[in-house]
Amino acid sequence: MIQLAAVLGLLGFEPAGQSRLNSLLPGVTCDGATAFRDAVIKGNQLMLQLFALFCKEGINQKFKFVHVVLTDGEDNKSQISLQEFLRYQQYLEQELPQNILQTFYIGVNVENNTTVQKEMQAILRCSGKSASYYPISSNEINEIFQKIQMQIGIRIQEQGLIIGNNQARIALRQQTYEPVVSMQINNYIVLFTLDVSGSMKNNWYKVCYAVKNFLNILGQNDLVLGIIFNDEVKVLTANQQPTAKKVQQPSQPPRKPSYQSRQVDQTSESCCCQIF
């Protein structure tokens, strides 16, 4: 377990209750372009490394991975091509299937961007049931984070409260968070991959607020990590201020993905990695 703790520190993961994300994120300056694909691949690589370590330690059944990816525009800076990205996502779905990893893509104010919509459709076809996509307005950022909480196994319950005095009785409703009752208790590895390009400037405080609320309901055994991206991809580590990380090109998968193994919707192309 000493090795596990050391590797967690090197990769940047830290317990949710000790996470510095709440203090680091508000200090981030939003500027530059959007290296969306590079950032997602960096997160994928970190999760695969951590999962391999969990398998070695025999604790891989105790954790579920959750990847929350938020952006507000099309990729215009990544070194990794869209086709490379799509191939890697199908490989990832084989290595970390739905019962291990769930990826939630959030597109802020992109409903009229046809390039983003087409690329997200291609990503979902390659990712299978492991990925979901939510195009939202900037006013729905916190709401969609709450929806993700419920989908991964945390639900919001409303309790009725009555406050009374001699003049009036006021009924209030209070939201409380608790784990969904299930046969197996999961610990979560939550990775936030967040767009900090220039167009996010006016909405960044909403993202910080949503992340803070998300962290507040995680358990003491849950782990978190933050990645931010604009022209570059930066990992927010537990021991230092944000530092730029050069994204490695995806290495050749140990086995070649079988692109014919997935049944694609009849309206899609025969290969899930076709863009248009």
Side-chain angles (χ1 to χ4, degrees), residues 227-245:
I227 293 177
I228 56 175
F229 64 94
N230 45 26
D231 298 65
E232 298 180 312
V233 178
K234 300 178 182 180
V235 177
L236 301 178
T237 68
N239 300 318
Q240 61 185 25
Q241 292 295 323
T243 55
K245 298 284 184 177

Side-chain angles (χ1 to χ4, degrees), residues 2 14 23 26-27 38 46 133 146-147 150 162 187 193 197 206 250 258 260:
I2 296 177
E14 55 185 340
S23 61
D38 286 357
L46 289 173
Y133 172 54
Q146 289 184 345
K147 183 174 182 178
M150 290 185 283
I162 302 295
N187 295 316
T193 299
S197 60
K206 299 176 184 178
S258 175
Q260 286 74 34

Side-chain angles (χ1 to χ4, degrees), residues 11 14 41 82 88 93 101 146 148 194 196 227 243 259:
L11 295 178
E14 55 185 340
I41 289 290
L82 178 59
Y88 198 84
E93 198 271 337
L101 167 66
Q146 289 184 345
I148 292 171
L194 307 172
V196 293
I227 293 177
T243 55
Y259 297 109

Side-chain angles (χ1 to χ4, degrees), residues 1 38 40 55-56 66 70 73 99 116 137 139 147 155-156 162 166 193 198 203 208 218 227 231 238 259 265:
M1 297 304 292
D38 286 357
V40 175
C55 290
K56 183 177 179 180
V66 178
L70 182 144
N99 64 317
V116 171
S137 72
N139 292 327
K147 183 174 182 178
R155 68 183 176 193
I156 301 174
I162 302 295
N166 292 333
T193 299
N203 293 315
C208 295
L218 292 177
I227 293 177
D231 298 65
Y259 297 109
D265 186 85

